[in-house]
Amino acid sequence: MERIIYRDTRKMKTCLISLDDVHEDSFYVKDGQAFLLDGSPFIYDSSIGNSIYRNIWSIPMVYGGYYQNFHKNQNKIDNFDVILVFCDKLRSLSKLDNLRNIYKGSLIISTIKENSPDYFLDKFRCRFLNSCDIITIPYSNYLCEKVSKVLNRKVYSLPYPYDVHRLRKLYYKNILDREDSILDRNNFSRPDRGFELSREFSSKLSSLLSFKIELGNKDFNLHNWMTLLSNTKICVNMDPLREIGQVPIECAILGILHVGGNLDAAHDLFPETIGNNFDELSEVIPTFLKDKDYFNRVFERVTQRHDFNSFKSKLDKIINDK
């Protein structure tokens, strides 16, 4: 397909499309709020009302665009300049040709909803990515380069947008108003996600700092989670997998010290405190807790990586990259 150049991406009509059978129904955004196609508000656990969303569901909010569940509804909604599409399941890939036939002339750009590069670089997912006009993934440049070598194509880093400043305004607390506590995020009995190591690390850190331990839970309500997170000073998250990493993003927004693990976002936002070496981390954690300038730098990092305006700027450069 011949590359279309959009000089002013602020005027682009965009749509996020899922080829997979996912729970979320199609919705549109009007005046900063998301509505299902029947006009009712789009609200689910990982949202605050129908105006703030986590991860991939924030993409339509950036441009006041659409999300289409293409598995349930393959009718044309509108004419779109750009479509960001995800496809995590093999049986869904056949829908991509139908999408192109329906949305002729739209620029098709990939994104990823769930899987990390270590998982999605099989033949199927390589086929999906190579079938798109432009390849983006919501990971760091380091992983983009890794994927690029496998596909032999340019792969762009496009992390999920977050409504950074609204979330900070709603949930940020001065560190003096928070409890001396450690939030152990890995409250799930999955050994491959650092469950036992997180318990052990939190216990040692609690003894070192005389902080109490709060346990994360399986309540996926975004408001409840942000409220819980905002009351603590440290979040221990020993996840060894190079997944996208929502928790370090939210820690950076609220000025919480994210400690441990190997999550992709942590590498960019908290590079000083990744890993699982207690002796090394215990030497720097007390210093960072007292360093207001450090948390200002982290907030600048998360703004540059995830803010809506940053997302627009990155997508603009990606589309117009020659």
Side-chain angles (χ1 to χ4, degrees):
M1 169 177 178
E2 181 180 353
R3 178 71 66 87
I4 302 171
I5 302 299
Y6 299 98
R7 297 298 179 187
D8 188 355
T9 55
R10 292 173 299 177
K11 298 179 181 180
M12 286 193 315
K13 295 183 72 173
T14 66
C15 186
L16 173 69
I17 289 184
S18 167
L19 300 184
D20 299 321
D21 181 12
V22 296
H23 296 296
E24 292 76 14
D25 290 324
S26 302
F27 65 83
Y28 64 93
V29 178
K30 181 178 180 181
D31 298 327
Q33 295 181 307
F35 299 91
L36 300 175
L37 299 187
D38 65 5
S40 59
F42 169 59
I43 299 173
Y44 78 125
D45 284 344
S46 288
S47 73
I48 299 171
N50 66 327
S51 63
I52 300 179
Y53 299 87
R54 259 181 156 185
N55 55 59
I56 200 167
W57 306 113
S58 282
I59 291 176
M61 307 301 293
V62 175
Y63 294 98
Y66 283 81
Y67 159 68
Q68 182 173 1
N69 184 324
F70 204 70
H71 177 82
K72 296 180 179 179
N73 172 21
Q74 297 190 19
N75 297 318
K76 186 174 182 179
I77 293 179
D78 202 343
N79 294 314
F80 298 113
D81 299 306
V82 171
I83 291 173
L84 288 110
V85 60
F86 63 90
C87 177
D88 290 339
K89 299 173 183 176
L90 175 59
R91 62 181 179 270
S92 304
L93 185 56
S94 60
K95 302 187 188 80
L96 187 57
D97 287 339
N98 194 26
L99 185 149
R100 282 195 179 279
N101 289 331
I102 293 173
Y103 290 109
K104 289 183 171 66
S106 296
L107 191 65
I108 307 297
I109 301 177
S110 73
T111 187
I112 300 293
K113 179 177 181 287
E114 299 289 350
N115 296 316
S116 69
D118 290 335
Y119 295 115
F120 66 64
L121 283 180
D122 54 24
K123 290 183 179 179
F124 146 61
R125 291 181 178 84
C126 287
R127 280 173 54 203
F128 162 64
L129 293 172
N130 271 323
S131 297
C132 296
D133 301 319
I134 299 176
I135 301 173
T136 76
I137 59 175
Y139 292 90
S140 62
N141 286 322
Y142 165 79
L143 289 180
C144 287
E145 292 171 5
K146 179 179 177 180
V147 177
S148 180
K149 289 178 181 178
V150 175
L151 300 179
N152 196 29
R153 280 185 62 185
K154 175 73 174 179
V155 176
Y156 297 90
S157 172
L158 188 64
Y160 297 145
Y162 270 70
D163 203 341
V164 170
H165 294 280
R166 281 189 69 194
L167 285 169
R168 189 171 176 91
K169 183 177 180 179
L170 286 171
Y171 295 101
Y172 176 81
K173 287 186 177 181
N174 188 293
I175 195 168
L176 298 177
D177 296 328
R178 300 180 208 153
E179 297 180 350
D180 288 339
S181 64
I182 299 163
L183 179 59
D184 181 353
R185 175 64 182 119
N186 293 111
N187 192 27
F188 308 100
S189 52
R190 279 188 57 183
D192 64 324
R193 302 302 296 269
F195 175 76
E196 294 296 338
L197 185 59
S198 183
R199 286 286 179 274
E200 178 183 351
F201 195 99
S202 295
S203 178
K204 289 182 178 179
L205 195 59
S206 174
S207 297
L208 175 70
L209 300 174
S210 298
F211 279 18
K212 69 176 184 178
I213 298 175
E214 296 282 354
L215 297 179
N217 54 53
K218 293 186 179 181
D219 181 354
F220 294 103
N221 179 280
L222 182 56
H223 168 73
N224 294 345
W225 161 248
M226 295 296 281
T227 301
L228 175 67
L229 186 62
S230 68
N231 283 319
T232 193
K233 293 182 179 178
I234 301 172
C235 180
V236 172
N237 190 3
M238 290 292 162
D239 192 334
L241 303 182
R242 190 83 183 229
E243 300 287 354
I244 291 171
Q246 295 177 154
V247 175
I249 298 169
E250 290 148 3
C251 285
I253 292 172
L254 298 185
I256 312 298
L257 185 63
H258 184 276
V259 174
N262 191 39
L263 293 169
D264 191 62
H267 279 267
D268 280 355
L269 302 176
F270 294 93
E272 303 88 353
T273 56
I274 57 174
N276 59 9
N277 188 311
F278 180 80
D279 292 335
E280 292 180 358
L281 290 173
S282 63
E283 290 183 3
V284 299
I285 288 171
T287 301
F288 286 136
L289 282 176
K290 300 175 183 177
D291 188 350
K292 183 178 180 180
D293 289 338
Y294 173 73
F295 288 103
N296 289 337
R297 293 195 299 273
V298 170
F299 185 68
E300 289 176 6
R301 293 171 187 169
V302 75
T303 299
Q304 292 171 4
R305 195 177 193 266
H306 295 281
D307 181 69
F308 282 7
N309 287 331
S310 176
F311 185 90
K312 287 181 180 179
S313 177
K314 289 174 183 175
L315 188 56
D316 176 56
K317 291 177 181 178
I318 289 169
I319 290 173
N320 292 296
D321 182 20
K322 298 179 181 180

